[in-house]
Amino acid sequence: MTRTRCDRTPAWALLKNAYNATGKSFDLRAAFAADPKRFETFSQSAPGVFADLSKNLIDSATQTLLFQLAREAGVCIHRDAMFAGEKINTTEAREVWHVLLRKPANAPTASAHEAAELAKVHATLDAMLTFAERVRADVDITDVVNIGIGGSDLGPQMAVLALDAFATTGKRLHFVSNVDGHELAATLSKLDAKKTLFLIASKTFTTIETMTNAQSAKRWFIEQGQTDTARHFAALTTNVAAAKACGIETTFGFWDWVGGRYSLWSAIGLPLAIAIGAQGFREFLAGAHAMDEHFRSSPIESNLPVRLGLLDVWYRNFHGFTSRSIAPYHSALRRLPAYLQQLEMESNGKRVDASGSILPFGTSPVLWGEAGTNGQHAYFQMLHQGIDVVPVEFVAVKKPQHTLEAHHPLLLANALAQAQALMVGQADADGHQDFPGNRPSTFLLLEGLTPTSLGALIALQEHRVFVSGSLWGINSFDQWGVELGKVLAKDIAPRLQSGDTRGLDGSTAGLLGLLRS
């Protein structure tokens, strides 16, 4: 596999020239006035998603150069290596094969190894979905508590909320992630131990936050007079042996080639399967697989993940935009920004390339946002009139899942109006009501928020992050930056009991003393 870091390609220099010549002075209002077909030119359909890219700061010439950049950097070669199961996670010598989790059992495979892994995937999937259906049918279980953190929490929590309209069981699902005991205590206070199922979700089964919460939950369960842990606890982990050593008999494993932030499609998705059922979960996987095939086989010019990833590089490295706001205009998608934060910033928040060399440019933008219309009354003031330009990604849904009159048209009108206002602006001589406009946005539209379309939307975002990371020449699939704080916390925890401050810096020692006083 040959990869060339984006700044070492001929296209990079051409893009610099294009930015200096026309890019930094590009005006969206003039572009629409000059090209009546701009919407058609810069929009496209992909599985489950329609994308309007026309309100972005690009013209056809720039887009052509961006396509050239993707070719010269070897993005498609890198993509094919991922789909083929090559060990593109080089620092951990692992495959990056989450796409295999949503591949149909009868789909063609390229090697005996892939066929064997696919068979394991579907054996586990079938067992997990059988268990989910058994839980759904168990009238004595009223509450399900997922204990996990990071990818073992953000993904299933986001998806369960997003697909609440498809939940066909009266069971209440709870998510506990923070090691702060207030969160677990508040959840336990609402539960009846004999009617509760705990899912302990940890890839390694060593994550300190998750294991601390799991031990406390088990202790509470026993204190409530319950003894049947086999019935009331299940584990979702690659470390099946460790789970069984903790007395958990029901386990569903996955593989070390599944990164935590890409694990929703695996056994980590069990809370979603319990919520929407086996068929709904299979539709969720099918939507993601359709987007996988689009990414794998579509030409660069009509490949939506590639186009979005290229835009991200254009904005981060040429325009110098340091953040992107995600604005889902659907309350069920209110946890999507948090989910995408981890996906983007944990994947591409790197300062060295895959060879370990310091990068001469920025990588991951800061990703942040809130569901519309709430966000309009919180941070949109800055988007419209602040000094910094922040590209916005709107996500809207054409058909609602409710029958309340007037609400959905008003919601959609707000989404359209905000995108329009960011672009057109408003002149005001006094300045206080002056909106500079020419602020870029992307508009993603789903026909409906269904298991299939949600699967496609998430896979789209996964692949767009892959593309930008591939262009930057980084390894998007490790997360060493998460580890140092964990290591230091293990050293500091016993010091809070002993008061030992030897070897600590002055600030940490001083704070530790205050916490002990």
Side-chain angles (χ1 to χ4, degrees):
M1 181 188 66
T2 302
R3 293 174 69 190
T4 303
R5 207 174 72 190
C6 57
D7 61 321
R8 295 170 175 165
T9 65
W12 186 264
L14 295 174
L15 281 163
K16 277 190 173 182
N17 293 337
Y19 173 75
N20 290 326
T22 60
K24 61 184 176 182
S25 60
F26 187 85
D27 191 282
L28 283 165
R29 294 154 295 198
F32 273 96
D35 182 7
K37 294 186 177 181
R38 181 174 171 83
F39 174 77
E40 288 82 0
T41 301
F42 291 97
S43 298
Q44 76 162 93
S45 292
V49 182
F50 176 85
D52 173 19
L53 310 183
S54 64
K55 291 196 282 293
N56 282 288
L57 304 177
I58 51 172
D59 55 20
S60 293
T62 299
Q63 185 170 247
T64 298
L65 288 175
L66 288 169
F67 293 149
Q68 181 180 335
L69 180 71
R71 291 190 177 92
E72 291 176 357
V75 168
C76 293
I77 296 171
H78 194 204
R79 172 204 63 195
D80 293 345
M82 177 181 72
F83 276 89
E86 294 184 26
K87 295 182 178 180
I88 65 170
N89 180 351
T90 51
T91 63
E92 297 177 297
R94 292 176 179 170
E95 304 97 328
V96 176
W97 234 351
H98 48 273
V99 295
L100 204 62
L101 295 171
R102 53 244 192 173
K103 188 169 185 173
N106 58 357
T109 52
S111 66
H113 175 53
E114 182 182 356
E117 293 300 290
L118 185 62
K120 294 176 188 176
V121 164
H122 280 274
T124 300
L125 174 64
D126 291 345
M128 186 264 280
L129 293 181
T130 297
F131 179 76
E133 289 298 322
R134 190 161 70 244
V135 172
R136 285 163 56 82
D138 189 341
V139 295
D140 293 327
I141 295 294
T142 60
D143 292 84
V144 178
V145 181
N146 187 85
I147 296 177
I149 198 166
S152 298
D153 168 76
L154 287 166
Q157 182 183 168
M158 177 274 297
V160 166
L161 287 170
L163 297 176
D164 181 65
F166 291 84
T168 53
T169 175
K171 302 191 190 307
R172 298 180 298 178
L173 281 95
H174 313 267
F175 293 86
V176 173
S177 57
N178 202 320
V179 75
D180 183 347
H182 292 95
E183 184 173 67
L184 179 60
T187 300
L188 295 177
S189 68
K190 306 169 188 174
L191 304 177
D192 181 342
K194 65 178 178 294
K195 296 181 178 180
T196 301
L197 170 66
F198 291 95
L199 306 178
I200 313 304
S202 172
K203 181 177 179 180
T204 62
F205 224 69
T206 58
T207 308
I208 189 65
E209 298 95 334
T210 299
M211 300 318 299
T212 299
N213 281 327
Q215 289 160 9
S216 294
K218 187 175 178 181
R219 186 163 52 250
W220 170 85
F221 179 78
I222 293 170
E223 289 170 352
Q224 298 300 304
Q226 302 301 307
T227 58
D228 193 358
T229 55
R231 169 173 161 72
H232 291 270
F233 284 80
L236 319 173
T237 181
T238 59
N239 194 348
V240 174
K244 289 186 176 179
C246 290
I248 299 177
E249 296 181 10
T250 302
T251 59
F252 299 99
F254 51 108
W255 303 269
D256 64 5
W257 44 255
V258 182
R261 56 194 172 277
Y262 300 92
S263 62
L264 174 57
W265 322 97
S266 71
I268 293 297
L270 178 57
L272 179 61
I274 291 171
I276 67 173
Q279 180 57 36
F281 194 82
R282 291 187 187 278
E283 291 170 5
F284 178 65
L285 296 178
H289 178 66
M291 186 61 72
D292 293 341
E293 289 300 290
H294 168 79
F295 178 50
R296 187 184 64 82
S297 61
S298 295
I300 282 178
E301 293 80 2
S302 58
N303 193 309
L304 186 54
V306 172
R307 295 180 74 184
L308 289 175
L310 287 167
L311 266 176
D312 294 340
V313 171
W314 175 240
Y315 284 153
R316 184 72 178 92
N317 301 124
F318 295 90
H319 284 272
F321 302 152
T322 57
S323 77
R324 181 171 77 252
S325 181
I326 180 81
Y329 273 71
H330 197 303
S331 67
L333 291 172
R334 59 191 176 274
R335 291 296 288 166
L336 182 64
Y339 176 78
L340 295 180
Q341 278 180 347
Q342 186 199 24
L343 176 62
E344 180 112 25
M345 296 165 71
E346 192 167 88
S347 295
N348 288 347
K350 309 290 171 63
R351 63 191 298 268
V352 300
D353 66 17
S355 69
S357 299
I358 297 290
L359 292 167
F361 49 74
T363 56
S364 172
V366 175
L367 195 70
W368 55 282
E370 180 63 70
T373 56
N374 292 9
Q376 293 175 201
H377 294 266
Y379 63 82
F380 269 54
Q381 165 63 38
M382 189 198 78
L383 297 180
H384 287 291
Q385 290 187 298
I387 294 295
D388 297 309
V389 175
V390 179
V392 181
E393 191 156 290
F394 293 89
V395 182
V397 178
K398 184 176 178 181
K399 297 177 181 178
Q401 292 289 338
H402 64 78
T403 57
L404 298 173
E405 293 182 6
H407 287 261
H408 203 64
L410 182 59
L411 179 70
L412 294 178
N414 271 274
L416 293 171
Q418 291 296 325
Q420 182 187 34
L422 286 166
M423 179 179 72
V424 301
Q426 173 181 284
D428 174 56
D430 186 46
H432 294 290
Q433 296 185 50
D434 186 81
F435 296 73
N438 201 41
R439 303 208 160 180
S441 67
T442 295
F443 204 101
L444 302 180
L445 180 63
L446 312 183
E447 184 73 15
L449 183 56
T450 66
T452 304
S453 67
L454 181 66
L457 177 65
I458 297 171
L460 169 65
Q461 299 290 349
E462 289 178 350
H463 295 321
R464 114 34 102 87
V465 169
F466 173 93
V467 170
S468 56
S470 181
L471 289 162
W472 287 321
I474 61 180
N475 179 5
S476 298
F477 303 101
D478 60 13
Q479 54 281 331
W480 298 108
V482 178
E483 301 302 319
L484 179 58
K486 291 182 178 181
V487 172
L488 295 179
K490 290 179 180 178
D491 171 67
I492 290 173
R495 293 174 184 263
L496 282 165
Q497 299 297 321
S498 68
D500 179 13
T501 61
R502 289 174 298 176
L504 295 179
D505 62 90
S507 172
T508 304
L511 290 169
L512 190 146
L514 284 173
L515 289 168
R516 280 178 47 81
S517 64

